Amino acid sequence: MKDQPTPPLSCTLSSPELLNRRLTILKAIRNATTETLELSNGFALRLPVSDEWRKKLEEFIAFERQCCAFLSFEIQERPADSGLWLHVSGPDGTKEFVRTELMLVE
């Protein structure tokens, strides 16, 4: 079986309305993140546990799937630490992309 080519590490979202909505969601996630963990191939962000935040994360993932096909996402709810975690990972270069393009971590 042939390996699938890795999509380019760049955002392909072009509609101004969608881009603005994406930026609004990114800002909300940045502001609500209470902890960041560096993973071998990305980051995990801790956010408040709530149905509202789960919906916002699902909306964020839907936008990112439209423009950044190389990213992988996972939402985890950890009752023991009262955290809703968003894992963002991908191929080499993903950490830098998350820092510079998504600006989700410092």
Side-chain angles (χ1 to χ4, degrees), residues 78-90:
R78 300 182 189 169
D81 66 6
S82 299
L84 184 63
W85 289 85
L86 172 64
H87 290 232
V88 182
S89 59

Side-chain angles (χ1 to χ4, degrees), residues 19-29:
L19 185 56
N20 185 49
R21 181 65 186 133
R22 177 180 178 251
L23 293 174
T24 300
I25 294 169
L26 285 170
K27 183 178 179 180
I29 291 172

Side-chain angles (χ1 to χ4, degrees), residues 12-13 22 57-75 86-87:
T12 59
L13 198 60
R22 177 180 178 251
L57 292 179
E58 289 168 354
E59 183 179 1
F60 167 70
I61 291 169
F63 277 112
E64 291 306 311
R65 289 195 195 286
Q66 291 179 52
C67 68
C68 302
F70 63 93
L71 291 175
S72 295
F73 301 95
E74 182 181 358
I75 298 173
L86 172 64
H87 290 232

Side-chain angles (χ1 to χ4, degrees), residues 6-102:
T6 302
L9 270 69
S10 63
C11 180
T12 59
L13 198 60
S14 59
S15 163
E17 182 179 317
L18 289 178
L19 185 56
N20 185 49
R21 181 65 186 133
R22 177 180 178 251
L23 293 174
T24 300
I25 294 169
L26 285 170
K27 183 178 179 180
I29 291 172
R30 272 194 309 273
N31 290 340
T33 297
T34 59
E35 183 178 355
T36 303
L37 300 177
E38 188 168 340
L39 308 173
S40 63
N41 60 347
F43 294 95
L45 310 172
R46 182 181 179 182
L47 295 115
V49 176
S50 71
D51 290 340
E52 178 184 352
W53 269 108
R54 180 171 286 284
K55 287 178 186 175
K56 284 182 182 181
L57 292 179
E58 289 168 354
E59 183 179 1
F60 167 70
I61 291 169
F63 277 112
E64 291 306 311
R65 289 195 195 286
Q66 291 179 52
C67 68
C68 302
F70 63 93
L71 291 175
S72 295
F73 301 95
E74 182 181 358
I75 298 173
Q76 295 181 355
E77 189 168 337
R78 300 182 189 169
D81 66 6
S82 299
L84 184 63
W85 289 85
L86 172 64
H87 290 232
V88 182
S89 59
D92 288 343
T94 295
K95 286 184 190 182
E96 190 58 30
F97 182 85
V98 170
R99 280 189 187 102
T100 60
E101 295 295 321
L102 299 182

